Amino acid sequence: MSKNKPSGFKGSNDCGKNEEREGRSCVRFKLCPFNTIQSVLRQRPGWVEVKDDCEWDFNWCDVGWLRENFDHFFMEEHVRISHFRNHYELSRKNLMVKNLKRYRKNLERDAGHMEASKCDFFPCTFVLPSEYHLLVEEFKRSPGSIWIMKPVAKCQGKGIFLFRKLKDIMDWKKDGPRSEEQKDAAQVESYVAQRYIENPYLINGKKFDLRIYVLVTSYVPLKAWLYRDGFARFSSTRFSLSSIDDKYMHLTNVAVQRTAPDYDPEKGCKWQMQQLRRYLTAKHGREIVETLFKEMDNIFVRSLLSVQKVMINDKHCFELYGYDVLLDQNLKPNFKKIHPNQKEGQDRDNRPRWLIEVNASPSHMPSSQEDYEMKYRLLDDTLNVVDMEGRLTGKEKRVGGYDLMWNDGPVYREDVNLETLGSSCFTANTHLGCVNDREKQLRQLLKPFPGQRRT
């Protein structure tokens, strides 16, 4: 091993080629965050936690550690780390919008307006201060509309506020009367102003958004997995546009809602994805809900494609993204041809689902026992896909609760006849909100861990 490889960051080279091919009997892991992932790693057969100054094979790190250390160590062939180097191309709000706009513009040039219109799943957004003049122009075209201001690099609802008038931004920038959170946001150099979705889909009068998990194991070629479980996060206050200052009404972040005066930690503020899908199906019918979830697949794939060419691909890296998606009252998608002269920001045709943001470090801190169990399954299956033990063939379309959504092209379900290619019968290999019989599937799929008998 090279003497230039810093201690603590290098992988092991004490395993022969045979072990490299058939899987590792011992995986040494290091982790920065201490939450559900700690329990998953410590309970995984054959995995051993190491201290900071020890060599490791697997590192579940936070983005701060990655930023400070990635360029300063060598990783051997088998080593895996839980982020891509420039993950922020998708997870920073301003860069996400920049990449999506560029991708849409290229699609319009190369494939036409109809294809480009399939990227119209994010609200009209401007990066401030650089695009302030464009925001002013849009304001004049849509007087009275509500906008939401977000710091580009903060999470958990920090620094977010709604506004109706441009002077509210000027007051905000001049350190005028505002909340402590808004004062905190004033220190951020860059932020986004986004048209607020004023007609969210409500359940029991309350707003909610969806947290959906997508695992990317490669960007070149793009290989992405969609997890079957997820959840809807509800606000604690009934929705109304009469007040835009009530964060418990407009922000669904759990970090915000758990501070609400009437928050019940036993009940929480979440529905599991399966519960939400059953509710929507009972109310609107299976066909509409199937179409809705299919169009959400479009969000995941196209957002990843929008950053594929700028992402620094590394075979040692993987990324578990947390997508935040909002449904509005137009649940039935209606893709109409966009007029060539339509400008950025003009009202779009009945888009029922909106991409709000993408998180490179989605919270794995549970808010209830049910939430803990769901996140445990998610993280355990993430390790199954990453496959440090070498138990997979690489040709699987499903691993536990993960379904392979994209593998250098769309992935279709096994039970589809290839002769139906191009027809409406050709079905995507995604099952968001469907039954997650992962334990049965894993028993059929995986060899036992090295040294472990199959039960």
Side-chain angles (χ1 to χ4, degrees):
M1 187 175 292
S2 171
K3 295 180 180 180
N4 295 325
K5 300 172 188 175
S7 175
F9 299 143
K10 56 193 176 185
S12 167
N13 68 342
D14 58 3
C15 298
K17 293 183 179 179
N18 187 57
E19 183 179 4
E20 219 27 92
R21 181 174 62 252
E22 295 184 359
R24 310 185 69 81
S25 59
C26 175
V27 178
R28 299 165 301 173
F29 71 87
K30 172 183 168 64
L31 75 162
C32 294
F34 293 94
N35 46 46
T36 309
I37 185 61
Q38 186 180 43
S39 300
V40 174
L41 289 168
R42 288 179 175 175
Q43 294 179 36
R44 198 165 178 86
W47 288 53
V48 179
E49 186 172 5
V50 298
K51 297 179 180 180
D52 288 342
D53 58 348
C54 296
E55 298 180 4
W56 45 266
D57 309 303
F58 181 91
N59 190 344
W60 191 286
C61 66
D62 59 31
V63 294
W65 187 95
L66 184 85
R67 183 171 55 251
E68 295 175 5
N69 296 284
F70 193 95
D71 293 329
H72 303 296
F73 67 92
F74 171 84
M75 289 185 289
E76 295 190 10
E77 183 74 18
H78 71 280
V79 170
R80 296 293 180 268
I81 191 167
S82 62
H83 293 290
F84 286 93
R85 181 178 176 182
N86 58 335
H87 58 86
Y88 45 78
E89 291 287 350
L90 187 58
S91 58
R92 281 180 68 101
K93 301 175 184 69
N94 57 334
L95 296 180
M96 180 190 80
V97 170
K98 174 185 175 182
N99 287 313
L100 281 169
K101 286 182 178 180
R102 182 187 64 245
Y103 179 69
R104 187 193 187 284
K105 183 177 180 180
N106 291 339
L107 272 182
E108 188 167 2
R109 179 195 64 206
D110 299 336
H113 303 299
M114 190 66 167
E115 188 68 17
S117 72
K118 295 179 182 179
C119 293
D120 289 342
F121 49 69
F122 57 100
C124 177
T125 305
F126 300 101
V127 178
L128 305 183
S130 61
E131 295 182 335
Y132 180 78
H133 63 291
L134 297 177
L135 174 63
V136 172
E137 291 180 8
E138 183 59 30
F139 239 89
K140 294 177 181 179
R141 285 197 291 265
S142 53
S145 59
I146 300 175
W147 292 74
I148 185 167
M149 183 82 85
K150 303 177 182 179
V152 299
K154 288 185 179 289
C155 58
Q156 298 184 331
K158 296 176 181 177
I160 296 178
F161 67 97
L162 278 63
F163 62 95
R164 276 195 173 100
K165 300 178 181 178
L166 284 176
K167 75 177 186 65
D168 295 336
I169 301 180
M170 300 309 297
D171 292 342
W172 175 76
K173 292 174 65 176
K174 293 177 181 177
D175 198 26
R178 57 181 183 263
S179 70
E180 289 300 317
E181 284 190 347
Q182 293 169 5
K183 289 181 181 179
D184 183 53
Q187 305 303 316
V188 179
E189 292 185 2
S190 185
Y191 44 96
V192 295
Q194 193 171 70
R195 187 190 295 276
Y196 186 63
I197 306 302
E198 299 183 24
N199 62 331
Y201 188 93
L202 305 178
I203 295 180
N204 296 327
K206 296 180 179 180
K207 177 183 174 180
F208 66 93
D209 70 358
L210 308 180
R211 166 57 59 85
I212 302 165
Y213 296 98
V214 174
L215 174 64
V216 176
T217 52
S218 170
Y219 269 102
V220 183
L222 180 61
K223 190 170 186 177
W225 304 73
L226 178 64
Y227 204 63
R228 296 188 174 198
D229 293 346
F231 50 85
R233 305 179 296 187
F234 285 82
S235 62
S236 59
T237 305
R238 292 177 69 87
F239 183 80
S240 171
L241 293 177
S242 60
S243 171
I244 62 173
D245 298 322
D246 187 344
K247 63 181 180 180
Y248 301 122
M249 179 188 297
H250 297 286
L251 304 183
T252 59
N253 309 71
V254 175
V256 172
Q257 293 299 325
R258 64 168 41 134
T259 64
D262 56 349
Y263 177 75
D264 185 344
E266 294 295 325
K267 294 182 179 179
C269 53
K270 296 179 179 179
W271 276 12
Q272 294 299 309
M273 191 65 69
Q274 287 81 356
Q275 182 180 0
L276 176 69
R277 184 158 187 159
R278 288 194 299 268
Y279 174 90
L280 294 175
T281 301
K283 189 166 184 178
H284 300 283
R286 180 177 178 179
E287 182 178 355
I288 287 180
V289 175
E290 287 283 353
T291 304
L292 172 68
F293 277 68
K294 178 181 177 181
E295 291 306 327
M296 281 198 283
D297 293 347
N298 175 70
I299 290 179
F300 312 135
V301 169
R302 292 186 181 275
S303 61
L304 294 173
L305 290 173
S306 75
V307 299
Q308 184 183 25
K309 292 184 178 180
V310 297
M311 196 66 68
I312 302 173
N313 189 63
D314 190 314
K315 62 184 178 181
H316 301 96
C317 302
F318 65 93
E319 195 85 49
L320 176 57
Y321 291 109
Y323 275 74
D324 293 345
V325 176
L326 180 72
L327 303 181
D328 71 20
Q329 293 173 354
N330 301 306
L331 278 190
K332 187 174 182 180
N334 180 21
F335 284 130
K336 297 179 181 178
K337 188 172 183 178
I338 304 299
H339 192 277
N341 296 325
Q342 179 172 328
K343 297 180 180 180
E344 171 65 33
Q346 287 183 306
D347 290 340
R348 293 152 178 180
D349 303 312
N350 296 336
R351 303 301 183 213
R353 67 287 171 277
W354 301 90
L355 175 60
I356 303 303
E357 63 180 276
V358 182
N359 299 273
S361 297
S363 173
H364 302 309
M365 191 67 68
S367 57
S368 65
Q369 181 62 31
E370 183 181 44
D371 194 43
Y372 171 80
E373 293 171 358
M374 188 280 290
K375 289 178 176 176
Y376 190 102
R377 295 191 299 267
L378 166 75
L379 295 169
D380 194 41
D381 284 341
T382 299
L383 300 183
N384 289 333
V385 172
V386 174
D387 191 30
M388 293 295 294
E389 299 90 354
R391 298 183 294 166
L392 302 179
T393 66
K395 299 180 180 180
E396 292 81 3
K397 287 188 176 182
R398 180 186 177 191
V399 177
Y402 276 111
D403 296 293
L404 186 59
M405 174 173 55
W406 191 270
N407 189 15
D408 201 22
V411 180
Y412 300 101
R413 298 182 188 178
E414 295 284 2
D415 57 351
V416 176
N417 190 328
L418 292 179
E419 295 179 357
T420 63
L421 179 60
S423 75
S424 59
C425 299
F426 211 69
T427 310
N429 184 49
T430 53
H431 303 265
L432 180 63
C434 296
V435 173
N436 186 4
D437 55 340
R438 58 180 293 275
E439 294 182 2
K440 177 182 177 181
Q441 196 270 344
L442 288 173
R443 285 196 299 268
Q444 297 172 344
L445 176 68
L446 297 178
K447 298 182 299 182
F449 286 101
Q452 179 189 31
R453 293 183 178 180
R454 185 184 297 275
T455 57

